[in-house]
């Protein structure tokens, strides 16, 4: 009788062990790369339409990265096995590098929020349509040189921005820049640029060169320091492009500004100056 009980116990132990190992193998197969490509990966949400959790590998089309130390490891795993990713959004505060973007040349929407020690990894995503670097220290437009599909750029940086090779962005239609320095002469080298939006600029140079642009249709400014030359130039352009200024400090004599603003009023533009802050808008938008 005792032998019979011990035999049954051994059979149960063996059965449970086999079942556990089988279950473990199934889990490892489904969620890890130990036995070949996994069927599921765990991801954070990257917009209001996505949720955090496990997603089938063939259904992943975007990823969000919130923390460099933890999420980049998870992102690298997903990027290795998911072949349909076209959206990558980061939300962290500081990144060592962007090497996790290797092999991601099919990405269309690249949104990199936060500071990074080395931005050169952008080169791996050379087929993007949209590039954003908000709340960042991005400083060199030449990193986007030759991106033939790039239509939209939004850069909000604390660094002095270099505009090298912007003329190679043959598809760029919309450019949003928040930077200490704005060089209009360099920016208008983008051959098909339609919309230029500037914010938080402490210095805007070569504004008169904007008259050389044949493609620009919209010029928007907010919280950016402007001077007499800037106002005089946009006065000349007011009948050619849409102009919108919002709360821009004037650095010169307010009497000179008021004279130009009166001219703009006569042209039918909406004009306001209060406490040295100037707001202007064309009437057609």
């Amino acid at each position: 009788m005792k032998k019979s009980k011990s035999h049954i116990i051994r059979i149960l132990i063996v059965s449970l062990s086999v079942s556990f190992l089988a279950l473990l193998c199934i889990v490892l197969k489904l969620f890890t790369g130990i036995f070949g490509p996994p069927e599921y990966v765990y991801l954070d949400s990257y917009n209001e339409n996505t949720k955090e959790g496990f997603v089938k590998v063939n259904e992943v089309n975007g990823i969000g990265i919130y923390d460099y130390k933890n999420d980049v490891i998870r992102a690298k795993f997903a990027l290795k096995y998911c072949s349909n990713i076209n959206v990558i959004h980061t939300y962290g505060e500081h990144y060592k590098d962007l090497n996790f973007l290797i092999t991601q040349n099919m990405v269309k929407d690249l949104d990199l929020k936060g500071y990074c020690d080395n931005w050169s990894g952008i080169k791996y995503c050379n087929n993007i349509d949209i590039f954003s670097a908000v709340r960042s220290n991005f400083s060199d437009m030449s990193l986007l040189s030759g991106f033939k599909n790039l239509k939209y750029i939004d850069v909000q940086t604390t660094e002095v921005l270099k505009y090298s090779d912007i003329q190679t962005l043959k598809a760029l239609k919309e450019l949003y820049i928040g930077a200490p320095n704005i060089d209009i002469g360099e920016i208008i080298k983008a051959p098909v640029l339609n919309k230029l939006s500037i914010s938080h600029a402490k210095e805007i140079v070569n504004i008169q060169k904007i008259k050389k642009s044949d493609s620009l249709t919209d010029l928007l400014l907010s919280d950016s320091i402007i001077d007499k030359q800037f106002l005089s130039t946009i006065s000349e352009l007011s009948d050619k492009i849409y102009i919108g200024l919002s709360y821009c400090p004037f650095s010169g004599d307010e009497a000179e500004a008021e004279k130009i603003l009166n001219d703009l009023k006569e042209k039918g533009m909406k004009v306001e100056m209060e406490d040295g802050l100037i707001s202007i808008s064309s009437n057609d938008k």
Side-chain angles (χ1 to χ4, degrees), residues 41 49-50 62 79 128 132 142 195 213 215 222 225 231 269 271:
V41 291
N49 297 319
T50 60
L79 292 170
I128 53 176
S132 298
S142 69
K195 185 174 184 177
S213 174
S215 61
S222 63
I225 298 173
L231 283 181
M269 299 186 72
V271 174

Side-chain angles (χ1 to χ4, degrees), residues 24-262:
L24 179 61
C25 288
I26 292 172
V27 171
L28 292 175
K29 169 60 179 172
L30 290 175
F31 302 105
T32 75
I34 294 177
F35 300 119
E39 294 187 28
Y40 292 85
V41 291
Y42 187 90
L43 296 173
D44 290 304
S45 63
Y46 63 89
N47 60 30
E48 64 277 5
N49 297 319
T50 60
K51 296 181 179 180
E52 179 181 355
F54 286 101
V55 185
K56 284 187 175 182
V57 167
N58 60 1
E59 294 179 0
V60 175
N61 56 23
I63 64 171
I65 302 172
Y66 291 82
D67 176 77
Y68 184 84
K69 290 182 179 179
N70 299 316
D71 291 349
V72 165
I73 295 174
R74 200 156 57 206
K76 284 182 176 179
F77 183 77
L79 292 170
K80 180 178 180 180
Y81 294 109
C82 302
S83 58
N84 298 320
I85 293 176
N86 53 50
V87 178
I88 297 177
H89 289 183
T90 69
Y91 303 89
E93 295 182 358
H94 199 129
Y95 295 88
K96 180 180 179 181
D97 56 51
L98 301 175
N99 290 338
F100 57 87
L101 297 176
I102 291 175
T103 74
Q104 295 309 304
N105 63 344
M106 298 308 294
V107 171
K108 297 299 182 183
D109 181 351
L110 183 61
D111 186 345
L112 305 173
K113 294 181 177 69
Y115 283 63
C116 185
D117 295 336
N118 185 352
W119 287 87
S120 63
I122 294 173
K123 65 187 177 184
Y124 301 119
C125 299
N126 57 4
N127 284 309
I128 53 176
D129 297 326
I130 300 171
F131 173 71
S132 298
V134 180
R135 299 194 305 273
S136 74
N137 62 336
F138 181 81
S139 63
D140 191 355
M141 296 287 282
S142 69
L143 294 172
L144 304 171
S145 178
F147 282 31
K148 62 183 183 297
N149 299 323
L150 189 53
K151 300 178 180 66
Y152 175 102
I153 295 176
D154 185 358
V155 172
Q156 309 294 321
T157 180
T158 57
E159 301 295 311
V160 173
L161 194 58
K162 300 174 185 176
Y163 297 92
S164 305
D165 295 339
I166 195 170
Q167 71 277 6
T168 68
L169 302 179
K170 305 294 186 181
L172 182 62
K173 297 281 189 178
E174 297 185 40
L175 178 58
Y176 296 78
I177 299 180
N181 64 310
I182 303 295
D183 189 337
I184 299 296
E186 291 297 318
I187 290 172
I188 63 167
K189 291 180 181 179
V192 295
L193 183 64
N194 295 150
K195 185 174 184 177
L196 173 60
S197 179
I198 298 168
S199 62
H200 304 102
K202 296 179 180 178
E203 182 182 27
I204 301 175
V205 299
N206 294 320
I207 180 59
Q208 71 280 4
K209 292 186 178 180
I210 200 170
K211 292 182 285 188
K212 295 182 179 180
S213 174
D214 296 323
S215 61
L216 195 66
T217 59
D218 295 68
L219 175 63
L220 308 175
L221 271 84
S222 63
D223 302 315
S224 297
I225 298 173
I226 58 176
D227 57 15
K228 178 183 177 181
Q229 186 179 47
F230 185 93
L231 283 181
S232 298
T233 301
I234 65 170
S235 179
E236 295 177 42
L237 295 172
S238 59
D239 59 341
K240 297 178 181 178
I241 66 174
Y242 175 81
I243 295 172
L245 274 67
S246 179
Y247 302 108
C248 292
F250 184 71
S251 63
D253 185 344
E254 288 192 12
E256 293 181 333
E258 287 177 354
K259 182 179 179 181
I260 300 172
L261 294 178
N262 285 332

